[in-house]
Amino acid sequence: MTTLDDPVLRGLNPAQREAVAAVAGPLLIIAGPGSGKTRVISHRVAYLIRTLGVSPRRIVAVTFTNKAARELRERIERLIGASVEQLTAGTFHAICARMLRSEGAALGIDPHFQIFDEEDQLRVMKGVLADLRLDEGRVSPRAVLNAISRLKAELVLPDSPELSGIQRYFDEIVSRAYRLYQERLAESRGLDFDDLILQTVRLLSEVPTVAARYQERYLHILVDEFQDTNIAQYELVKLLAARHRNLTVVGDPDQSIYRFRSADLRNILNFERDFPDARVVVLEENYRSTQQILRAAAGIIAPNRGRKPKQLVAVRGEGPKIIVRELANEHDEAAAVAREIEQLQQAEQRRFRDFAVMYRTNAQSRPLEQRLILHGIPYRLVGGVRFYERREVKDLLAYLRLALNPRDLVALERVINVPPRSIGQRTLDELVRLSRAQEQPLWETLLAIQVGALTVSPRARGPLLGFVATIQDLIAASAELPPPALIERVLERTGYRDYLQPESEEGAERLENIQQLMTAANEFASFSPREALARFLDEVSLFTDIDQADLTADAVTLITLHAAKGLEFPVVFIVGLEEGILPHARAIAGEEDDLEALEEERRLLYVGVTRAKERLFLFHAYRRGMWGRSEALPRSRFLDDIPPEVREKEQIVISQSSFPLPTVRAAGLPERLPFGPGDYVRQALLGEGQVVAVNPVRGDYEVIVNFRNPRTGVKKLLQSLARLEKIER
């Protein structure tokens, strides 16, 4: 069978076919946006398995999200008509977590370690700074955590020489906090996200037997989104590929937008230097966007220095021109977005899910949400409160974490008095002091109290012994019960169900979230109880906003440009294209712009523009509300780089959304209401809510209110009947 006859290669363009069939040695695939990158990766793995007979067990594919890993497996299985259960596919963090659970004991890592999420890390760091007698008001815990994260991304350990002889005050704080932070994690048998990579690199570097086993096993290694890897991640894949050298990296320097997460653009730019024999394939046929959109994107990105040249060609044809529009303010901007959505939906029979509105920061969503609600346009907000960050879900997960690892200090502190069991903060502080004095984890201190080796006040002893007995019961139950049944055991043993007050609407909603948690946990029912629990907690810890996002419902997507990476929509609006917004103020501060930061801002807009398939709207406002005041901001410099021939004649639209309320003389109503959009009101039956809009209508006021109770939602009310009262919040 010739290469062209291979069913796995059918339907691929020449560059894609080359990228799939080039299976020996290092390979760099420069994949422009919309060039079929995911298709190439799935076909390449299918080609290795079906055509070349490589066992799925000998292939590892690193993806950017867990969702991408699941979709990759599904694509491969459809291509080869068989299961690829043994394929190692997932994010860096997920793959490393599995390796450390299996092999980490060689470094002294407990196989039942807990992965600490951002909230957990912040809690630990606040304790560290308190122990160091540093005031949070002067030293930001989050800033210290970010600095430690950068050190770990560069493979700098707490005792590394780089941290000795430090001169700057903040760096000295970071050095001291780093050591103590790692000690606190170790006490809890915990690892943070950066530790997962760092410790796996240590494992492969310091334990030759483990390194040899994995280097022999993985014959082929593929890494997607390589432009967003950091130094530690690159070192990890180089270690894994050291024996067979079949390392394929896929990415695009023009889409590197995660420098704040320590992504190092030099990884992809220097790949050919590190692997002089690397083959390079450039994917330039674009299957997503029109040529007009691609020309706009090319103009935006052209001034950047750190690039790999490519010329994207649209398969879809020319398409309509780009719309660039100036509005008076952010409210008019939001009104223009809503009006365009309504017009395109009617004129072109589009669904709401065809539209996405993108912005630089989450704070920009508020006027957009208000305007969409006013127009009755459904929307989803990507990046809101994540399911696994809801209070009741975090509480139940803390109990599950303690069942697996009772030394988990963060989980223990979270629920030692939840539901309330008369263990106050003063008692907890005394317990922590005792554990520090004994140089043992807090759980060991509680066990010492249980057997009488340590004494506490009689008032505290009873509740503490009750809590210890509860956790011991859950530890025993975790060896016998699958995760959903264990959650039910937590609810019964702790009284948490009654604590939620399920007879109330809010309590019923929280209980529904717990039931949803049980459903998610049930996906691991095929494993033994303890393994199922460990896998479930890992899955939860490594969950991302994009993994959560449901983009199938018929609703407009509101999303930051960072979160939009990897997505596509027929119609895209990008708002807030002003100096100080995009590019962000941090990139243009001072006398000289930060060139690297400015280039990343340019890449961020490039990513947003190339999410659009058919239509692209770029909006900027003459004035924008910032920090409680309205400021006039120049339009973004990036707009000037879009070729004039791809843009429709620019329009300046003044005041579409603002209008004065005329005097209304309805019975019992004042000339003007005491509240307006943004104010909070109360209605006797419906409760509290926020005013979205006030409209004079037929001698009355129509008030649109977004009520706090999600079951009530958004309501249009006549003030003469509703009698809404303004409240202060």
Side-chain angles (χ1 to χ4, degrees):
M1 181 174 63
T2 66
T3 300
L4 294 176
D5 294 330
D6 193 311
V8 177
L9 299 179
R10 286 184 199 143
L12 301 178
N13 66 44
Q16 291 175 332
R17 201 156 46 239
E18 180 185 1
V20 167
V23 294
L27 172 66
L28 170 61
I29 302 174
I30 301 295
S35 61
K37 169 174 66 77
T38 305
R39 191 176 191 214
V40 165
I41 294 172
S42 57
H43 278 252
R44 181 176 174 84
V45 176
Y47 184 80
L48 290 170
I49 297 170
R50 177 171 175 167
T51 304
L52 302 184
V54 177
S55 168
R57 184 178 179 277
R58 303 199 68 190
I59 303 171
V60 58
V62 184
T63 58
F64 195 63
T65 65
N66 300 304
K67 181 180 179 182
R70 290 192 296 271
E71 292 174 351
L72 178 64
R73 285 182 184 276
E74 292 168 2
R75 281 175 175 246
I76 295 166
E77 289 176 349
R78 286 197 299 269
L79 283 168
I80 68 175
S83 171
V84 289
E85 186 177 341
Q86 288 189 310
L87 173 72
T88 300
T91 64
F92 274 107
H93 296 100
I95 291 171
C96 288
R98 289 197 291 270
M99 289 178 66
L100 290 174
R101 292 213 186 276
S102 176
E103 309 284 354
L107 291 179
I109 297 172
D110 190 300
H112 298 303
F113 66 81
Q114 175 59 42
I115 302 171
F116 278 28
D117 64 18
E118 291 181 9
E119 183 181 331
D120 299 331
Q121 294 168 39
L122 193 60
R123 191 162 185 163
V124 173
M125 182 53 67
K126 287 181 177 181
V128 165
L129 295 182
D131 289 346
L132 294 174
R133 293 181 172 80
L134 294 169
D135 182 5
E136 280 186 41
R138 299 186 63 188
V139 180
S140 163
R142 198 172 294 280
V144 177
L145 278 172
N146 289 340
I148 291 173
S149 177
R150 287 192 293 272
L151 290 172
K152 290 182 178 181
E154 295 172 3
L155 299 173
V156 177
L157 296 167
D159 56 355
S160 295
E162 293 96 317
L163 296 181
S164 62
I166 288 175
Q167 301 282 326
R168 292 177 58 217
Y169 176 65
F170 180 73
D171 291 339
E172 172 62 25
I173 289 174
V174 170
S175 178
R176 292 162 58 202
Y178 188 4
R179 294 185 185 91
L180 193 53
Y181 173 73
Q182 291 304 113
E183 290 175 13
R184 295 287 183 267
L185 290 181
E187 288 173 8
S188 296
R189 297 177 184 166
L191 299 177
D192 65 19
F193 293 132
D194 297 299
D195 283 329
L196 295 175
I197 313 295
L198 175 62
Q199 297 300 334
T200 305
V201 171
R202 282 192 59 213
L203 180 68
L204 297 176
S205 302
E206 299 175 18
V207 187
T209 54
V210 173
R213 190 157 61 249
Y214 280 94
Q215 288 165 350
E216 174 56 33
R217 172 182 170 180
Y218 290 131
L219 180 60
H220 290 276
I221 300 167
L222 297 91
V223 183
D224 192 12
E225 303 288 2
F226 188 66
Q227 77 280 347
D228 289 323
T229 55
N230 60 36
I231 290 173
Q233 291 165 336
Y234 189 19
E235 183 63 24
L236 174 66
V237 295
K238 284 194 287 189
L239 284 166
L240 286 175
R243 176 171 174 77
H244 299 293
R245 298 186 76 254
N246 295 324
L247 174 60
T248 298
V249 299
V250 187
D252 179 8
D254 290 340
Q255 298 184 71
S256 178
I257 59 172
Y258 293 107
R259 192 170 71 134
F260 67 95
R261 293 182 187 166
S262 300
D264 196 326
L265 180 60
R266 292 171 298 180
N267 287 351
I268 193 167
L269 296 176
N270 294 337
F271 186 79
E272 293 168 86
R273 182 201 65 189
D274 298 339
F275 295 90
D277 57 334
R279 189 168 181 171
V280 180
V281 178
V282 183
L283 305 180
E284 295 179 305
E285 286 191 51
N286 180 285
Y287 296 87
R288 175 188 300 153
S289 306
T290 64
Q291 196 63 53
Q292 299 280 31
I293 292 171
L294 295 182
R295 289 193 189 104
I300 290 167
I301 201 64
N304 274 11
R305 302 163 305 161
R307 302 187 60 223
K308 292 280 188 181
K310 59 182 179 298
Q311 187 68 44
L312 296 178
V313 178
V315 174
R316 299 175 64 99
E318 286 293 309
K321 290 188 175 183
I322 310 306
I323 304 293
V324 178
R325 187 168 297 162
E326 179 181 18
L327 288 307
N329 53 47
E330 69 269 25
H331 302 293
D332 286 0
E333 182 180 66
V337 169
R339 191 182 66 257
E340 291 289 354
I341 289 173
E342 289 177 331
Q343 290 176 352
L344 286 173
Q345 188 198 28
Q346 294 172 9
E348 301 178 6
Q349 289 76 54
R350 293 188 182 275
R351 298 165 298 180
F352 288 120
R353 60 183 286 190
D354 292 341
F355 299 91
V357 189
M358 302 177 185
Y359 35 80
R360 177 64 174 82
T361 65
N362 278 305
Q364 292 171 255
S365 73
R366 185 185 60 81
L368 293 162
E369 291 184 74
Q370 290 180 336
R371 180 53 58 169
L372 293 179
I373 290 171
L374 177 62
H375 284 250
I377 297 174
Y379 68 89
R380 71 176 69 79
L381 184 66
V382 177
V385 177
R386 292 166 54 187
F387 174 77
Y388 290 117
E389 290 177 351
R390 292 168 185 167
R391 176 170 60 84
E392 65 278 7
V393 174
K394 290 282 284 187
D395 288 345
L396 268 292
L397 289 173
Y399 276 109
L400 297 185
R401 286 165 57 168
L402 290 172
L404 194 66
N405 171 22
R407 296 175 65 180
D408 186 335
L409 178 63
V410 170
L412 195 152
E413 288 185 339
R414 182 180 184 93
V415 295
I416 194 169
N417 197 41
V418 177
R421 47 175 66 92
S422 300
I423 302 174
Q425 188 60 45
R426 185 177 298 177
T427 299
L428 181 57
D429 291 343
E430 177 62 17
L431 290 172
V432 171
R433 189 192 66 77
L434 283 171
S435 67
R436 294 279 183 266
Q438 298 290 322
E439 295 185 347
Q440 63 185 10
L442 184 54
W443 175 248
E444 304 297 331
T445 299
L446 291 173
L447 293 179
I449 293 170
Q450 185 186 47
V451 299
L454 283 174
T455 58
V456 291
S457 69
R459 184 178 178 182
R461 179 176 171 79
L464 289 174
L465 294 185
F467 176 71
V468 170
T470 295
I471 301 305
Q472 288 175 326
D473 175 75
L474 295 178
I475 292 170
S478 69
E480 302 173 356
L481 300 177
L486 186 61
I487 293 172
E488 184 63 44
R489 182 68 157 261
V490 172
L491 294 173
E492 294 173 0
R493 193 72 167 76
T494 65
Y496 198 91
R497 182 181 277 107
D498 293 335
Y499 167 65
L500 288 178
Q501 299 178 326
E503 67 279 359
S504 68
E505 288 194 17
E506 182 179 353
E509 183 185 355
R510 292 187 183 280
L511 193 58
E512 287 175 5
N513 288 335
I514 292 174
Q515 291 168 345
Q516 187 176 342
L517 182 69
M518 290 182 177
T519 301
N522 196 48
E523 296 178 11
F524 299 85
S526 61
F527 299 97
S528 65
R530 294 280 285 183
E531 185 180 4
L533 181 57
R535 285 176 177 263
F536 173 55
L537 291 174
D538 275 0
E539 178 92 359
V540 168
S541 298
L542 300 172
F543 204 71
T544 68
D545 286 341
I546 293 301
D547 290 326
Q548 169 183 273
D550 173 20
L551 301 179
T552 60
D554 191 25
V556 174
T557 297
L558 302 183
I559 191 169
T560 67
L561 288 161
H562 280 104
K565 180 80 169 291
L567 304 177
E568 62 181 30
F569 302 89
V571 183
V572 167
F573 297 85
I574 302 178
V575 299
L577 284 166
E578 299 113 39
E579 295 286 298
I581 305 293
L582 185 63
H584 196 277
R586 286 191 299 266
I588 55 177
E591 294 183 5
E592 293 186 9
D593 295 345
D594 179 343
L595 191 55
E596 287 188 12
L598 193 60
E599 290 197 345
E600 178 148 300
E601 294 291 301
R602 191 181 289 278
R603 292 194 293 268
L604 190 56
L605 179 56
Y606 176 83
V607 166
V609 165
T610 55
R611 301 309 95 196
K613 298 169 70 174
E614 299 165 21
R615 290 185 176 272
L616 176 64
F617 295 80
L618 305 176
F619 287 177
H620 60 103
Y622 174 68
R623 301 188 70 88
R624 186 171 299 274
M626 298 178 66
W627 307 108
R629 60 183 184 273
S630 178
E631 292 189 6
L633 300 173
R635 65 183 239 154
S636 172
R637 68 188 72 185
F638 300 153
L639 292 174
D640 297 331
D641 295 316
I642 299 175
E645 62 271 17
V646 308
R647 299 178 294 191
E648 283 194 2
K649 185 177 180 180
E650 295 191 26
Q651 304 173 44
I652 300 177
V653 184
I654 303 298
S655 195
Q656 302 171 35
S657 63
S658 306
F659 51 85
L661 287 177
T663 300
V664 179
R665 287 292 186 184
L669 290 181
E671 292 186 5
R672 195 172 281 273
L673 293 181
F675 53 77
D679 290 332
Y680 288 88
V681 294
R682 180 187 293 111
Q683 205 279 331
L685 296 177
L686 301 178
E688 296 179 7
Q690 187 176 25
V691 176
V692 175
V694 177
N695 301 315
V697 55
R698 295 187 300 278
D700 206 333
Y701 289 106
E702 178 190 73
V703 186
I704 301 175
V705 182
N706 187 11
F707 282 95
R708 182 179 178 185
N709 188 329
R711 294 177 182 271
T712 305
V714 179
K715 296 288 186 186
K716 291 183 180 180
L717 305 170
L718 289 177
Q719 176 64 2
S720 61
L721 299 175
R723 298 297 176 186
L724 296 161
E725 297 179 4
K726 183 178 179 180
I727 59 175
E728 298 300 329
R729 294 271 319 252

